[in-house]
PDB file of all heavy atoms in Angstrom:
ATOM      1  N   ALA A   7      -2.473   8.631  11.122  1.00 80.00           N
ATOM      2  CA  ALA A   7      -1.940   7.665  10.345  1.00 80.00           C
ATOM      3  C   ALA A   7      -0.983   8.082   9.294  1.00 80.00           C
ATOM      4  O   ALA A   7       0.271   7.579   9.178  1.00 80.00           O
ATOM      5  CB  ALA A   7      -3.047   6.790   9.514  1.00 80.00           C
ATOM      6  N   LEU A   8      -1.263   9.326   8.738  1.00 81.00           N
ATOM      7  CA  LEU A   8      -0.353   9.888   7.708  1.00 81.00           C
ATOM      8  C   LEU A   8       0.904  10.471   8.469  1.00 81.00           C
ATOM      9  O   LEU A   8       2.065  10.219   8.017  1.00 81.00           O
ATOM     10  CB  LEU A   8      -1.096  11.025   7.039  1.00 81.00           C
ATOM     11  CG  LEU A   8      -0.410  11.633   5.813  1.00 81.00           C
ATOM     12  CD1 LEU A   8      -0.088  10.457   4.751  1.00 81.00           C
ATOM     13  CD2 LEU A   8      -1.118  12.641   5.170  1.00 81.00           C
ATOM     14  N   GLN A   9       0.742  10.955   9.668  1.00 83.00           N
ATOM     15  CA  GLN A   9       1.958  11.433  10.454  1.00 83.00           C
ATOM     16  C   GLN A   9       2.844  10.276  10.829  1.00 83.00           C
ATOM     17  O   GLN A   9       4.063  10.411  10.819  1.00 83.00           O
ATOM     18  CB  GLN A   9       1.415  12.158  11.721  1.00 83.00           C
ATOM     19  CG  GLN A   9       0.752  13.606  11.464  1.00 83.00           C
ATOM     20  CD  GLN A   9       1.786  14.438  10.817  1.00 83.00           C
ATOM     21  OE1 GLN A   9       3.060  14.441  11.229  1.00 83.00           O
ATOM     22  NE2 GLN A   9       1.341  15.294   9.941  1.00 83.00           N
ATOM     23  N   PHE A  10       2.191   9.092  11.165  1.00 82.00           N
ATOM     24  CA  PHE A  10       2.940   8.005  11.641  1.00 82.00           C
ATOM     25  C   PHE A  10       3.751   7.350  10.537  1.00 82.00           C
ATOM     26  O   PHE A  10       4.938   6.976  10.681  1.00 82.00           O
ATOM     27  CB  PHE A  10       1.829   6.832  12.192  1.00 82.00           C
ATOM     28  CG  PHE A  10       2.609   5.630  12.584  1.00 82.00           C
ATOM     29  CD1 PHE A  10       3.413   5.620  13.783  1.00 82.00           C
ATOM     30  CD2 PHE A  10       2.715   4.481  11.755  1.00 82.00           C
ATOM     31  CE1 PHE A  10       3.936   4.448  14.157  1.00 82.00           C
ATOM     32  CE2 PHE A  10       3.286   3.377  12.232  1.00 82.00           C
ATOM     33  CZ  PHE A  10       4.045   3.408  13.451  1.00 82.00           C
ATOM     34  N   ILE A  11       3.126   7.468   9.306  1.00 79.00           N
ATOM     35  CA  ILE A  11       3.913   6.964   8.110  1.00 79.00           C
ATOM     36  C   ILE A  11       5.096   7.904   7.773  1.00 79.00           C
ATOM     37  O   ILE A  11       6.068   7.340   7.434  1.00 79.00           O
ATOM     38  CB  ILE A  11       2.978   6.793   6.921  1.00 79.00           C
ATOM     39  CG1 ILE A  11       1.830   5.588   7.177  1.00 79.00           C
ATOM     40  CG2 ILE A  11       3.727   6.492   5.680  1.00 79.00           C
ATOM     41  CD1 ILE A  11       0.788   5.610   6.182  1.00 79.00           C
ATOM     42  N   LYS A  12       4.929   9.199   7.951  1.00 82.00           N
ATOM     43  CA  LYS A  12       6.026  10.054   7.675  1.00 82.00           C
ATOM     44  C   LYS A  12       6.989  10.015   8.673  1.00 82.00           C
ATOM     45  O   LYS A  12       8.229  10.097   8.272  1.00 82.00           O
ATOM     46  CB  LYS A  12       5.426  11.502   7.646  1.00 82.00           C
ATOM     47  CG  LYS A  12       4.533  11.900   6.512  1.00 82.00           C
ATOM     48  CD  LYS A  12       4.130  13.424   6.476  1.00 82.00           C
ATOM     49  CE  LYS A  12       3.383  13.666   5.374  1.00 82.00           C
ATOM     50  NZ  LYS A  12       2.835  15.091   5.317  1.00 82.00           N
ATOM     51  N   ARG A  13       6.823   9.673   9.853  1.00 86.00           N
ATOM     52  CA  ARG A  13       7.782   9.543  10.958  1.00 86.00           C
ATOM     53  C   ARG A  13       8.540   8.228  10.781  1.00 86.00           C
ATOM     54  O   ARG A  13       9.765   8.132  11.130  1.00 86.00           O
ATOM     55  CB  ARG A  13       7.182   9.618  12.372  1.00 86.00           C
ATOM     56  CG  ARG A  13       7.046  11.057  12.797  1.00 86.00           C
ATOM     57  CD  ARG A  13       6.490  11.121  14.199  1.00 86.00           C
ATOM     58  NE  ARG A  13       5.108  10.511  14.051  1.00 86.00           N
ATOM     59  CZ  ARG A  13       4.394  10.317  15.149  1.00 86.00           C
ATOM     60  NH1 ARG A  13       4.937  10.315  16.302  1.00 86.00           N
ATOM     61  NH2 ARG A  13       3.130   9.744  15.130  1.00 86.00           N
ATOM     62  N   ASN A  14       7.892   7.078  10.361  1.00 85.00           N
ATOM     63  CA  ASN A  14       8.483   5.848  10.177  1.00 85.00           C
ATOM     64  C   ASN A  14       8.436   5.275   8.781  1.00 85.00           C
ATOM     65  O   ASN A  14       7.798   4.174   8.537  1.00 85.00           O
ATOM     66  CB  ASN A  14       7.864   4.822  11.185  1.00 85.00           C
ATOM     67  CG  ASN A  14       7.936   5.277  12.626  1.00 85.00           C
ATOM     68  OD1 ASN A  14       9.050   5.621  13.115  1.00 85.00           O
ATOM     69  ND2 ASN A  14       6.843   5.270  13.339  1.00 85.00           N
ATOM     70  N   PRO A  15       9.055   5.864   7.757  1.00 84.00           N
ATOM     71  CA  PRO A  15       8.873   5.406   6.452  1.00 84.00           C
ATOM     72  C   PRO A  15       9.342   4.038   6.235  1.00 84.00           C
ATOM     73  O   PRO A  15       8.901   3.147   5.374  1.00 84.00           O
ATOM     74  CB  PRO A  15       9.392   6.517   5.559  1.00 84.00           C
ATOM     75  CG  PRO A  15      10.504   7.086   6.393  1.00 84.00           C
ATOM     76  CD  PRO A  15       9.914   7.042   7.768  1.00 84.00           C
ATOM     77  N   VAL A  16      10.638   3.749   6.803  1.00 86.00           N
ATOM     78  CA  VAL A  16      11.209   2.551   6.485  1.00 86.00           C
ATOM     79  C   VAL A  16      10.532   1.326   7.137  1.00 86.00           C
ATOM     80  O   VAL A  16      10.320   0.290   6.517  1.00 86.00           O
ATOM     81  CB  VAL A  16      12.767   2.497   7.036  1.00 86.00           C
ATOM     82  CG1 VAL A  16      13.375   1.297   6.937  1.00 86.00           C
ATOM     83  CG2 VAL A  16      13.486   3.663   6.288  1.00 86.00           C
ATOM     84  N   GLY A  17      10.086   1.531   8.325  1.00 85.00           N
ATOM     85  CA  GLY A  17       9.348   0.434   9.038  1.00 85.00           C
ATOM     86  C   GLY A  17       7.979   0.156   8.328  1.00 85.00           C
ATOM     87  O   GLY A  17       7.637  -1.074   8.050  1.00 85.00           O
ATOM     88  N   VAL A  18       7.337   1.143   7.939  1.00 84.00           N
ATOM     89  CA  VAL A  18       6.064   0.916   7.209  1.00 84.00           C
ATOM     90  C   VAL A  18       6.341   0.203   5.925  1.00 84.00           C
ATOM     91  O   VAL A  18       5.475  -0.617   5.492  1.00 84.00           O
ATOM     92  CB  VAL A  18       5.207   2.343   7.062  1.00 84.00           C
ATOM     93  CG1 VAL A  18       3.995   2.205   6.139  1.00 84.00           C
ATOM     94  CG2 VAL A  18       4.804   2.896   8.412  1.00 84.00           C
ATOM     95  N   ALA A  19       7.361   0.664   5.180  1.00 86.00           N
ATOM     96  CA  ALA A  19       7.636   0.034   3.852  1.00 86.00           C
ATOM     97  C   ALA A  19       7.924  -1.336   4.051  1.00 86.00           C
ATOM     98  O   ALA A  19       7.543  -2.238   3.269  1.00 86.00           O
ATOM     99  CB  ALA A  19       8.745   0.959   3.156  1.00 86.00           C
ATOM    100  N   GLY A  20       8.722  -1.752   5.074  1.00 88.00           N
ATOM    101  CA  GLY A  20       9.125  -2.978   5.323  1.00 88.00           C
ATOM    102  C   GLY A  20       7.914  -3.838   5.728  1.00 88.00           C
ATOM    103  O   GLY A  20       7.822  -5.056   5.259  1.00 88.00           O
ATOM    104  N   VAL A  21       6.944  -3.451   6.489  1.00 85.00           N
ATOM    105  CA  VAL A  21       5.827  -4.160   6.852  1.00 85.00           C
ATOM    106  C   VAL A  21       5.030  -4.394   5.516  1.00 85.00           C
ATOM    107  O   VAL A  21       4.411  -5.410   5.344  1.00 85.00           O
ATOM    108  CB  VAL A  21       4.959  -3.466   7.987  1.00 85.00           C
ATOM    109  CG1 VAL A  21       3.576  -3.947   8.106  1.00 85.00           C
ATOM    110  CG2 VAL A  21       5.682  -3.414   9.267  1.00 85.00           C
ATOM    111  N   ALA A  22       4.840  -3.261   4.757  1.00 87.00           N
ATOM    112  CA  ALA A  22       3.996  -3.426   3.427  1.00 87.00           C
ATOM    113  C   ALA A  22       4.695  -4.532   2.589  1.00 87.00           C
ATOM    114  O   ALA A  22       3.972  -5.299   1.939  1.00 87.00           O
ATOM    115  CB  ALA A  22       3.968  -2.108   2.733  1.00 87.00           C
ATOM    116  N   VAL A  23       5.981  -4.484   2.402  1.00 87.00           N
ATOM    117  CA  VAL A  23       6.739  -5.434   1.583  1.00 87.00           C
ATOM    118  C   VAL A  23       6.493  -6.913   2.242  1.00 87.00           C
ATOM    119  O   VAL A  23       6.230  -7.831   1.413  1.00 87.00           O
ATOM    120  CB  VAL A  23       8.123  -5.120   1.448  1.00 87.00           C
ATOM    121  CG1 VAL A  23       8.976  -6.212   0.842  1.00 87.00           C
ATOM    122  CG2 VAL A  23       8.323  -3.812   0.566  1.00 87.00           C
ATOM    123  N   ALA A  24       6.653  -6.963   3.444  1.00 87.00           N
ATOM    124  CA  ALA A  24       6.451  -8.345   4.092  1.00 87.00           C
ATOM    125  C   ALA A  24       5.013  -8.759   3.840  1.00 87.00           C
ATOM    126  O   ALA A  24       4.827 -10.042   3.568  1.00 87.00           O
ATOM    127  CB  ALA A  24       6.716  -8.151   5.599  1.00 87.00           C
ATOM    128  N   LEU A  25       4.009  -7.864   4.069  1.00 86.00           N
ATOM    129  CA  LEU A  25       2.702  -8.336   3.828  1.00 86.00           C
ATOM    130  C   LEU A  25       2.367  -8.849   2.309  1.00 86.00           C
ATOM    131  O   LEU A  25       1.801  -9.829   2.061  1.00 86.00           O
ATOM    132  CB  LEU A  25       1.729  -7.166   4.262  1.00 86.00           C
ATOM    133  CG  LEU A  25       1.458  -7.017   5.623  1.00 86.00           C
ATOM    134  CD1 LEU A  25       0.628  -5.913   5.880  1.00 86.00           C
ATOM    135  CD2 LEU A  25       0.881  -8.281   6.276  1.00 86.00           C
ATOM    136  N   ALA A  26       3.005  -8.030   1.416  1.00 86.00           N
ATOM    137  CA  ALA A  26       2.931  -8.359  -0.043  1.00 86.00           C
ATOM    138  C   ALA A  26       3.572  -9.722  -0.345  1.00 86.00           C
ATOM    139  O   ALA A  26       3.025 -10.574  -1.019  1.00 86.00           O
ATOM    140  CB  ALA A  26       3.540  -7.293  -0.831  1.00 86.00           C
ATOM    141  N   LEU A  27       4.699  -9.848   0.143  1.00 85.00           N
ATOM    142  CA  LEU A  27       5.494 -11.255  -0.050  1.00 85.00           C
ATOM    143  C   LEU A  27       4.674 -12.307   0.674  1.00 85.00           C
ATOM    144  O   LEU A  27       4.639 -13.348   0.079  1.00 85.00           O
ATOM    145  CB  LEU A  27       6.849 -11.159   0.495  1.00 85.00           C
ATOM    146  CG  LEU A  27       7.856 -10.290  -0.321  1.00 85.00           C
ATOM    147  CD1 LEU A  27       9.250 -10.130   0.461  1.00 85.00           C
ATOM    148  CD2 LEU A  27       7.931 -10.923  -1.702  1.00 85.00           C
ATOM    149  N   GLY A  28       4.194 -11.980   1.801  1.00 83.00           N
ATOM    150  CA  GLY A  28       3.394 -13.177   2.477  1.00 83.00           C
ATOM    151  C   GLY A  28       2.168 -13.576   1.755  1.00 83.00           C
ATOM    152  O   GLY A  28       1.858 -14.664   1.478  1.00 83.00           O
ATOM    153  N   GLY A  29       1.416 -12.563   1.215  1.00 81.00           N
ATOM    154  CA  GLY A  29       0.142 -12.838   0.307  1.00 81.00           C
ATOM    155  C   GLY A  29       0.676 -13.561  -1.010  1.00 81.00           C
ATOM    156  O   GLY A  29      -0.050 -14.417  -1.353  1.00 81.00           O
ATOM    157  N   TRP A  30       1.671 -13.034  -1.394  1.00 76.00           N
ATOM    158  CA  TRP A  30       2.166 -13.761  -2.762  1.00 76.00           C
ATOM    159  C   TRP A  30       2.638 -15.254  -2.591  1.00 76.00           C
ATOM    160  O   TRP A  30       2.154 -16.083  -3.348  1.00 76.00           O
ATOM    161  CB  TRP A  30       3.375 -12.903  -3.417  1.00 76.00           C
ATOM    162  CG  TRP A  30       3.843 -13.528  -4.735  1.00 76.00           C
ATOM    163  CD1 TRP A  30       3.332 -13.287  -5.883  1.00 76.00           C
ATOM    164  CD2 TRP A  30       4.965 -14.255  -4.815  1.00 76.00           C
ATOM    165  NE1 TRP A  30       4.017 -13.911  -6.865  1.00 76.00           N
ATOM    166  CE2 TRP A  30       5.130 -14.658  -6.149  1.00 76.00           C
ATOM    167  CE3 TRP A  30       5.938 -14.640  -3.938  1.00 76.00           C
ATOM    168  CZ2 TRP A  30       6.200 -15.293  -6.860  1.00 76.00           C
ATOM    169  CZ3 TRP A  30       6.995 -15.535  -4.523  1.00 76.00           C
ATOM    170  CH2 TRP A  30       7.056 -15.735  -5.922  1.00 76.00           C
ATOM    171  N   MET A  31       3.210 -15.425  -1.460  1.00 76.00           N
ATOM    172  CA  MET A  31       3.611 -16.849  -1.132  1.00 76.00           C
ATOM    173  C   MET A  31       2.362 -17.715  -0.757  1.00 76.00           C
ATOM    174  O   MET A  31       2.248 -18.840  -1.178  1.00 76.00           O
ATOM    175  CB  MET A  31       4.668 -16.897   0.039  1.00 76.00           C
ATOM    176  CG  MET A  31       5.986 -16.358  -0.327  1.00 76.00           C
ATOM    177  SD  MET A  31       7.184 -16.313   1.001  1.00 76.00           S
ATOM    178  CE  MET A  31       6.822 -17.621   2.124  1.00 76.00           C
ATOM    179  N   TYR A  32       1.373 -17.085  -0.232  1.00 75.00           N
ATOM    180  CA  TYR A  32       0.211 -17.890   0.297  1.00 75.00           C
ATOM    181  C   TYR A  32      -0.533 -18.315  -1.119  1.00 75.00           C
ATOM    182  O   TYR A  32      -1.015 -19.374  -1.223  1.00 75.00           O
ATOM    183  CB  TYR A  32      -0.601 -17.039   1.113  1.00 75.00           C
ATOM    184  CG  TYR A  32      -1.959 -17.632   1.445  1.00 75.00           C
ATOM    185  CD1 TYR A  32      -2.032 -18.710   2.366  1.00 75.00           C
ATOM    186  CD2 TYR A  32      -3.091 -17.227   0.857  1.00 75.00           C
ATOM    187  CE1 TYR A  32      -3.284 -19.235   2.693  1.00 75.00           C
ATOM    188  CE2 TYR A  32      -4.340 -17.846   1.096  1.00 75.00           C
ATOM    189  CZ  TYR A  32      -4.406 -18.923   2.042  1.00 75.00           C
ATOM    190  OH  TYR A  32      -5.589 -19.484   2.335  1.00 75.00           O
ATOM    191  N   PHE A  33      -0.844 -17.288  -1.986  1.00 72.00           N
ATOM    192  CA  PHE A  33      -1.540 -17.630  -3.210  1.00 72.00           C
ATOM    193  C   PHE A  33      -0.823 -18.344  -4.197  1.00 72.00           C
ATOM    194  O   PHE A  33      -1.295 -19.051  -5.024  1.00 72.00           O
ATOM    195  CB  PHE A  33      -2.015 -16.214  -3.799  1.00 72.00           C
ATOM    196  CG  PHE A  33      -3.081 -15.687  -2.920  1.00 72.00           C
ATOM    197  CD1 PHE A  33      -2.875 -14.477  -2.282  1.00 72.00           C
ATOM    198  CD2 PHE A  33      -4.364 -16.288  -2.789  1.00 72.00           C
ATOM    199  CE1 PHE A  33      -3.926 -13.936  -1.523  1.00 72.00           C
ATOM    200  CE2 PHE A  33      -5.374 -15.774  -2.162  1.00 72.00           C
ATOM    201  CZ  PHE A  33      -5.099 -14.532  -1.399  1.00 72.00           C
ATOM    202  N   ARG A  34       0.562 -18.372  -4.268  1.00 73.00           N
ATOM    203  CA  ARG A  34       1.380 -18.926  -5.161  1.00 73.00           C
ATOM    204  C   ARG A  34       2.152 -20.132  -4.662  1.00 73.00           C
ATOM    205  O   ARG A  34       3.012 -20.664  -5.205  1.00 73.00           O
ATOM    206  CB  ARG A  34       2.442 -18.036  -5.665  1.00 73.00           C
ATOM    207  CG  ARG A  34       1.901 -16.864  -6.663  1.00 73.00           C
ATOM    208  CD  ARG A  34       1.390 -17.406  -7.902  1.00 73.00           C
ATOM    209  NE  ARG A  34       2.358 -17.901  -8.645  1.00 73.00           N
ATOM    210  CZ  ARG A  34       2.328 -18.492  -9.911  1.00 73.00           C
ATOM    211  NH1 ARG A  34       1.155 -18.670 -10.409  1.00 73.00           N
ATOM    212  NH2 ARG A  34       3.376 -18.861 -10.465  1.00 73.00           N
ATOM    213  N   GLY A  35       1.746 -20.572  -3.417  1.00 69.00           N
ATOM    214  CA  GLY A  35       2.465 -21.647  -2.756  1.00 69.00           C
ATOM    215  C   GLY A  35       2.263 -23.053  -3.378  1.00 69.00           C
ATOM    216  O   GLY A  35       3.178 -23.886  -3.320  1.00 69.00           O
ATOM    217  N   ASP A  36       1.265 -23.293  -4.032  1.00 72.00           N
ATOM    218  CA  ASP A  36       0.995 -24.516  -4.724  1.00 72.00           C
ATOM    219  C   ASP A  36       1.721 -24.580  -6.178  1.00 72.00           C
ATOM    220  O   ASP A  36       1.657 -25.570  -6.841  1.00 72.00           O
ATOM    221  CB  ASP A  36      -0.549 -24.945  -4.972  1.00 72.00           C
ATOM    222  CG  ASP A  36      -1.221 -23.869  -5.797  1.00 72.00           C
ATOM    223  OD1 ASP A  36      -0.795 -22.735  -5.934  1.00 72.00           O
ATOM    224  OD2 ASP A  36      -2.297 -24.239  -6.349  1.00 72.00           O
ATOM    225  N   ALA A  37       2.205 -23.478  -6.673  1.00 71.00           N
ATOM    226  CA  ALA A  37       2.820 -23.361  -7.888  1.00 71.00           C
ATOM    227  C   ALA A  37       4.005 -24.372  -8.046  1.00 71.00           C
ATOM    228  O   ALA A  37       4.179 -24.839  -9.122  1.00 71.00           O
ATOM    229  CB  ALA A  37       3.079 -21.962  -8.243  1.00 71.00           C
ATOM    230  N   GLY A  38       4.736 -24.517  -7.058  1.00 74.00           N
ATOM    231  CA  GLY A  38       5.900 -25.490  -7.099  1.00 74.00           C
ATOM    232  C   GLY A  38       5.464 -26.875  -7.315  1.00 74.00           C
ATOM    233  O   GLY A  38       6.153 -27.472  -8.290  1.00 74.00           O
ATOM    234  N   THR A  39       4.451 -27.346  -6.675  1.00 80.00           N
ATOM    235  CA  THR A  39       4.064 -28.776  -7.152  1.00 80.00           C
ATOM    236  C   THR A  39       3.380 -28.870  -8.464  1.00 80.00           C
ATOM    237  O   THR A  39       3.654 -29.901  -9.197  1.00 80.00           O
ATOM    238  CB  THR A  39       3.037 -29.225  -6.027  1.00 80.00           C
ATOM    239  OG1 THR A  39       1.947 -28.215  -6.057  1.00 80.00           O
ATOM    240  CG2 THR A  39       3.603 -29.365  -4.652  1.00 80.00           C
ATOM    241  N   VAL A  40       2.656 -27.836  -8.905  1.00 79.00           N
ATOM    242  CA  VAL A  40       2.183 -27.809 -10.285  1.00 79.00           C
ATOM    243  C   VAL A  40       3.309 -27.733 -11.203  1.00 79.00           C
ATOM    244  O   VAL A  40       3.215 -28.536 -12.238  1.00 79.00           O
ATOM    245  CB  VAL A  40       1.208 -26.604 -10.491  1.00 79.00           C
ATOM    246  CG1 VAL A  40       0.910 -26.401 -11.979  1.00 79.00           C
ATOM    247  CG2 VAL A  40      -0.030 -26.667  -9.662  1.00 79.00           C
ATOM    248  N   LEU A  41       4.336 -26.951 -10.937  1.00 81.00           N
ATOM    249  CA  LEU A  41       5.367 -26.872 -11.888  1.00 81.00           C
ATOM    250  C   LEU A  41       6.229 -28.205 -11.928  1.00 81.00           C
ATOM    251  O   LEU A  41       6.782 -28.633 -12.890  1.00 81.00           O
ATOM    252  CB  LEU A  41       6.316 -25.703 -11.539  1.00 81.00           C
ATOM    253  CG  LEU A  41       5.706 -24.366 -11.890  1.00 81.00           C
ATOM    254  CD1 LEU A  41       6.682 -23.322 -11.405  1.00 81.00           C
ATOM    255  CD2 LEU A  41       5.543 -24.138 -13.320  1.00 81.00           C
ATOM    256  N   GLU A  42       6.333 -28.864 -10.805  1.00 86.00           N
ATOM    257  CA  GLU A  42       7.060 -30.128 -10.614  1.00 86.00           C
ATOM    258  C   GLU A  42       6.301 -31.145 -11.536  1.00 86.00           C
ATOM    259  O   GLU A  42       6.956 -31.991 -12.184  1.00 86.00           O
ATOM    260  CB  GLU A  42       7.200 -30.557  -9.264  1.00 86.00           C
ATOM    261  CG  GLU A  42       8.285 -29.839  -8.549  1.00 86.00           C
ATOM    262  CD  GLU A  42       8.317 -30.293  -6.962  1.00 86.00           C
ATOM    263  OE1 GLU A  42       7.683 -31.196  -6.719  1.00 86.00           O
ATOM    264  OE2 GLU A  42       9.104 -29.642  -6.337  1.00 86.00           O
ATOM    265  N   GLU A  43       4.991 -31.243 -11.415  1.00 89.00           N
ATOM    266  CA  GLU A  43       4.211 -32.230 -12.177  1.00 89.00           C
ATOM    267  C   GLU A  43       4.312 -32.066 -13.660  1.00 89.00           C
ATOM    268  O   GLU A  43       4.522 -32.866 -14.481  1.00 89.00           O
ATOM    269  CB  GLU A  43       2.742 -32.101 -11.725  1.00 89.00           C
ATOM    270  CG  GLU A  43       2.443 -32.697 -10.395  1.00 89.00           C
ATOM    271  CD  GLU A  43       0.976 -32.322 -10.021  1.00 89.00           C
ATOM    272  OE1 GLU A  43       0.257 -31.759 -10.720  1.00 89.00           O
ATOM    273  OE2 GLU A  43       0.668 -32.748  -8.851  1.00 89.00           O
ATOM    274  N   GLU A  44       4.332 -30.683 -14.156  1.00 90.00           N
ATOM    275  CA  GLU A  44       4.588 -30.255 -15.429  1.00 90.00           C
ATOM    276  C   GLU A  44       5.891 -30.723 -15.922  1.00 90.00           C
ATOM    277  O   GLU A  44       6.112 -31.284 -17.006  1.00 90.00           O
ATOM    278  CB  GLU A  44       4.224 -28.919 -15.662  1.00 90.00           C
ATOM    279  CG  GLU A  44       4.241 -28.415 -17.113  1.00 90.00           C
ATOM    280  CD  GLU A  44       3.788 -26.933 -17.224  1.00 90.00           C
ATOM    281  OE1 GLU A  44       3.205 -26.237 -16.307  1.00 90.00           O
ATOM    282  OE2 GLU A  44       4.171 -26.354 -18.332  1.00 90.00           O
ATOM    283  N   LEU A  45       6.913 -30.471 -15.068  1.00 90.00           N
ATOM    284  CA  LEU A  45       8.213 -30.880 -15.526  1.00 90.00           C
ATOM    285  C   LEU A  45       8.375 -32.398 -15.696  1.00 90.00           C
ATOM    286  O   LEU A  45       8.968 -32.899 -16.577  1.00 90.00           O
ATOM    287  CB  LEU A  45       9.182 -30.358 -14.420  1.00 90.00           C
ATOM    288  CG  LEU A  45      10.763 -30.755 -14.464  1.00 90.00           C
ATOM    289  CD1 LEU A  45      11.267 -30.215 -15.747  1.00 90.00           C
ATOM    290  CD2 LEU A  45      11.559 -30.562 -13.344  1.00 90.00           C
ATOM    291  N   SER A  46       7.720 -33.181 -14.741  1.00 92.00           N
ATOM    292  CA  SER A  46       7.844 -34.632 -14.898  1.00 92.00           C
ATOM    293  C   SER A  46       7.075 -35.124 -16.157  1.00 92.00           C
ATOM    294  O   SER A  46       7.572 -35.972 -16.934  1.00 92.00           O
ATOM    295  CB  SER A  46       7.291 -35.375 -13.683  1.00 92.00           C
ATOM    296  OG  SER A  46       5.982 -35.034 -13.536  1.00 92.00           O
ATOM    297  N   ARG A  47       6.019 -34.434 -16.566  1.00 94.00           N
ATOM    298  CA  ARG A  47       5.330 -34.822 -17.703  1.00 94.00           C
ATOM    299  C   ARG A  47       6.107 -34.548 -18.969  1.00 94.00           C
ATOM    300  O   ARG A  47       6.238 -35.302 -19.908  1.00 94.00           O
ATOM    301  CB  ARG A  47       3.911 -33.929 -17.874  1.00 94.00           C
ATOM    302  CG  ARG A  47       2.786 -34.616 -17.148  1.00 94.00           C
ATOM    303  CD  ARG A  47       1.532 -34.015 -17.571  1.00 94.00           C
ATOM    304  NE  ARG A  47       1.439 -32.595 -17.777  1.00 94.00           N
ATOM    305  CZ  ARG A  47       1.166 -31.695 -16.706  1.00 94.00           C
ATOM    306  NH1 ARG A  47       0.771 -32.253 -15.513  1.00 94.00           N
ATOM    307  NH2 ARG A  47       1.098 -30.440 -16.889  1.00 94.00           N
ATOM    308  N   HIS A  48       6.767 -33.302 -18.898  1.00 93.00           N
ATOM    309  CA  HIS A  48       7.667 -32.970 -20.097  1.00 93.00           C
ATOM    310  C   HIS A  48       8.838 -33.856 -20.181  1.00 93.00           C
ATOM    311  O   HIS A  48       9.382 -34.199 -21.339  1.00 93.00           O
ATOM    312  CB  HIS A  48       8.204 -31.400 -19.945  1.00 93.00           C
ATOM    313  CG  HIS A  48       7.120 -30.569 -20.225  1.00 93.00           C
ATOM    314  ND1 HIS A  48       6.465 -30.476 -21.501  1.00 93.00           N
ATOM    315  CD2 HIS A  48       6.555 -29.482 -19.541  1.00 93.00           C
ATOM    316  CE1 HIS A  48       5.567 -29.493 -21.413  1.00 93.00           C
ATOM    317  NE2 HIS A  48       5.527 -28.879 -20.274  1.00 93.00           N
ATOM    318  N   GLN A  49       9.366 -34.284 -19.065  1.00 94.00           N
ATOM    319  CA  GLN A  49      10.501 -35.286 -19.079  1.00 94.00           C
ATOM    320  C   GLN A  49      10.074 -36.576 -19.667  1.00 94.00           C
ATOM    321  O   GLN A  49      10.824 -37.164 -20.433  1.00 94.00           O
ATOM    322  CB  GLN A  49      11.113 -35.380 -17.673  1.00 94.00           C
ATOM    323  CG  GLN A  49      12.039 -34.358 -17.200  1.00 94.00           C
ATOM    324  CD  GLN A  49      12.422 -34.470 -15.759  1.00 94.00           C
ATOM    325  OE1 GLN A  49      11.762 -35.220 -14.910  1.00 94.00           O
ATOM    326  NE2 GLN A  49      13.487 -33.747 -15.366  1.00 94.00           N
ATOM    327  N   ALA A  50       8.999 -37.149 -19.301  1.00 94.00           N
ATOM    328  CA  ALA A  50       8.382 -38.311 -19.708  1.00 94.00           C
ATOM    329  C   ALA A  50       8.222 -38.376 -21.314  1.00 94.00           C
ATOM    330  O   ALA A  50       8.540 -39.168 -21.989  1.00 94.00           O
ATOM    331  CB  ALA A  50       7.146 -38.750 -19.158  1.00 94.00           C
ATOM    332  N   GLU A  51       7.680 -37.200 -21.775  1.00 94.00           N
ATOM    333  CA  GLU A  51       7.384 -36.891 -23.217  1.00 94.00           C
ATOM    334  C   GLU A  51       8.801 -36.845 -23.889  1.00 94.00           C
ATOM    335  O   GLU A  51       8.957 -37.428 -25.019  1.00 94.00           O
ATOM    336  CB  GLU A  51       6.698 -35.602 -23.390  1.00 94.00           C
ATOM    337  CG  GLU A  51       6.400 -35.396 -24.850  1.00 94.00           C
ATOM    338  CD  GLU A  51       5.380 -36.287 -25.497  1.00 94.00           C
ATOM    339  OE1 GLU A  51       4.679 -36.992 -24.794  1.00 94.00           O
ATOM    340  OE2 GLU A  51       5.365 -36.177 -26.764  1.00 94.00           O
ATOM    341  N   ALA A  52       9.760 -36.246 -23.358  1.00 92.00           N
ATOM    342  CA  ALA A  52      11.104 -36.105 -23.867  1.00 92.00           C
ATOM    343  C   ALA A  52      11.735 -37.543 -24.059  1.00 92.00           C
ATOM    344  O   ALA A  52      12.310 -37.815 -24.938  1.00 92.00           O
ATOM    345  CB  ALA A  52      12.041 -35.133 -23.191  1.00 92.00           C
TER     346      ALA A  52
END
């Protein structure tokens, strides 16, 4: 596995970044609706 990573550093880094971004989007996917609700509350208060 270490030899494979040394031979393909760009591909492995790309897959790692893609997995990290995919996980981040999965866990933070509802943040947009929460932020929209908070924005509408702040607009009503304003």
Side-chain angles (χ1 to χ4, degrees):
L8 195 56
Q9 287 297 328
F10 180 77
I11 293 173
K12 285 183 181 178
R13 277 184 289 167
N14 301 312
V16 174
V18 171
V21 168
V23 168
L25 286 174
L27 285 175
W30 182 76
M31 286 175 34
Y32 176 76
F33 289 110
R34 296 287 295 174
D36 65 336
T39 58
V40 170
L41 291 175
E42 286 176 7
E43 290 171 3
E44 189 175 337
L45 175 65
S46 65
R47 279 196 313 270
H48 287 301
Q49 285 176 337
E51 179 71 13

